[in-house]
Amino acid sequence: RDDEGELQPNFDVVEKYLDVATKHLGKVPGIVFHTWAPSSSDGHAGGAGQAHRRNNRAILFTMLDPETGELSQRTGPAWGTAEAREFWRKFNVGIREVLARHGLEDSMMHGLIGDVRPTRQGMEDMTYGVENPVWAVHSHYFVDEWKDQPVKMCTALWGVGVNPTDPSNGLSFGWTNPMWVNYFPREMNLASPLVEYRVKTEVWLGARRGRTPFVSIGYGTRGLGRIGADFWPVIGRGGRNTLAGRYPETSWGQLSLNNGIPRLLGRGENGPVPTVRSEMFRENIQEAEARIFIEKALFDDQAEELLGEELMKRCRRELNDRIRVAINSQGEGLSWYISSDWNARAERLFELAGEVADRLGRDPQPNLDRHRDN
């Protein structure tokens, strides 16, 4: 409380977290603030968002005594009251000032909506004072808005609208989707073959919807999510578990990170360390970046003039082959992938990216409207 006895949010921990994150990651495009939680974190498919799966847990917060440093648990004002709106207004105004100091004022998302979803009243209270609030979702099902408030990021298992397919059926470019859509790779876990870690991101970048139009712009997934970095085993209620499921009310059922990939990193003596899994993801993401660079160049209005038809054909052929390899390398194809000269493919990709960069002489300027629905 301040000198007048009014509640004021304290952002010291947030500031420290953002200092570390921006030091190592630069401008983070999306930051989800867990402002909402359901009374039950049931994450089982069926009836997502229906009346029996819409609720708001009471507002719980921690009170800090600035003189003693003592922390105590408190319950906030009731939803739908003027006190609740003022409670959240102070948070929203204060946190946006913090983000602005880090150059992240456009990165804020409220969350995290799951199969159990907030009520309209709860959402209106939580976003009080925010001009254009956006939300983040991790659900079995895709959703692009909830209770008239837009969703900026959606991680879903079903309903993302696309599936991996051979490029002969059409081309798709997940990075062109204005919405941040991720596929939740629940079929993967800590025991999955390393080949899956090595190709999965690229598989879903090229996933497409149906068969028309042949060139699909503005749809698809930007990649994979949500994946844990450092949710290591701990002793939790009900036995040994990870930090992602430390307490029953945070287990999230079938949507739990423990049902997918709870951690990419290992526990080192002085902090997290790389693992073979994280290295496989890193290499695939590097190749995905090269792929996206080339694809952006192919959508450039001056592509034919600056790149030439022969180079453009080589690029398209190589990118198509990579999707085929990635699809065929999953499951029983993993042994084949290991002996499929994957290093040579990576070399060809980066050489093509370098050749495109030299010919273009500038950053790609993709004109997506020109190619939309062709």
Side-chain angles (χ1 to χ4, degrees), residues 5-25:
E6 296 292 326
L7 283 174
Q8 300 294 341
N10 181 291
F11 298 115
D12 289 350
V13 175
V14 179
E15 293 267 19
K16 183 183 292 185
Y17 183 90
L18 292 176
D19 285 342
V20 174
T22 53
K23 175 182 177 181
H24 296 282
L25 301 175

Side-chain angles (χ1 to χ4, degrees), residues 295-326:
E295 288 179 337
K296 287 182 175 180
L298 295 179
F299 283 125
D300 194 295
D301 280 340
Q302 290 187 285
E304 295 180 6
E305 174 187 348
L306 298 178
L307 302 183
E309 184 178 352
E310 188 273 337
L311 175 57
M312 291 176 69
K313 284 184 176 179
R314 280 195 286 128
C315 289
R316 188 71 268 158
R317 183 169 58 248
E318 188 67 32
L319 296 180
N320 289 352
D321 285 346
R322 291 185 63 83
I323 290 294
R324 293 189 178 100
V325 167

Side-chain angles (χ1 to χ4, degrees), residues 164-168 194-204 206 284 287 291 316-346 348-349:
T165 186
D166 190 278
S168 62
L194 292 178
V195 170
E196 285 218 59
Y197 285 82
R198 188 64 173 72
V199 302
K200 200 78 165 186
T201 299
E202 199 159 1
V203 165
W204 282 92
N284 195 196
E287 292 174 9
R291 178 189 189 89
R316 188 71 268 158
R317 183 169 58 248
E318 188 67 32
L319 296 180
N320 289 352
D321 285 346
R322 291 185 63 83
I323 290 294
R324 293 189 178 100
V325 167
I327 292 175
N328 294 329
S329 298
Q330 299 179 95
E332 296 179 359
L334 62 94
S335 299
W336 167 83
Y337 178 88
I338 295 171
S339 59
S340 68
D341 216 5
W342 56 273
N343 265 337
R345 280 195 301 277
R348 289 197 300 271
L349 176 71

Side-chain angles (χ1 to χ4, degrees), residues 233-366:
V234 295
I235 302 299
R237 296 180 185 176
R240 193 171 181 83
N241 211 327
T242 82
L243 288 170
R246 174 66 176 84
Y247 298 100
E249 61 268 28
T250 63
S251 69
W252 277 62
Q254 294 174 341
L255 294 172
S256 170
L257 296 183
N258 296 324
N259 275 0
I261 306 171
R263 55 189 177 276
L264 283 177
L265 304 175
R267 284 185 292 187
E269 196 170 315
N270 298 309
V273 294
T275 65
V276 287
R277 292 187 299 275
S278 68
E279 287 299 286
M280 292 299 97
F281 257 133
R282 183 177 63 83
E283 289 184 11
N284 195 196
I285 290 172
Q286 287 174 335
E287 292 174 9
E289 290 176 344
R291 178 189 189 89
I292 292 170
F293 175 82
I294 294 172
E295 288 179 337
K296 287 182 175 180
L298 295 179
F299 283 125
D300 194 295
D301 280 340
Q302 290 187 285
E304 295 180 6
E305 174 187 348
L306 298 178
L307 302 183
E309 184 178 352
E310 188 273 337
L311 175 57
M312 291 176 69
K313 284 184 176 179
R314 280 195 286 128
C315 289
R316 188 71 268 158
R317 183 169 58 248
E318 188 67 32
L319 296 180
N320 289 352
D321 285 346
R322 291 185 63 83
I323 290 294
R324 293 189 178 100
V325 167
I327 292 175
N328 294 329
S329 298
Q330 299 179 95
E332 296 179 359
L334 62 94
S335 299
W336 167 83
Y337 178 88
I338 295 171
S339 59
S340 68
D341 216 5
W342 56 273
N343 265 337
R345 280 195 301 277
E347 185 175 5
R348 289 197 300 271
L349 176 71
F350 289 120
E351 286 179 347
L352 280 173
E355 194 172 347
V356 167
D358 290 341
R359 295 269 193 99
L360 207 57
R362 54 172 169 75
D363 290 337
Q365 299 172 11

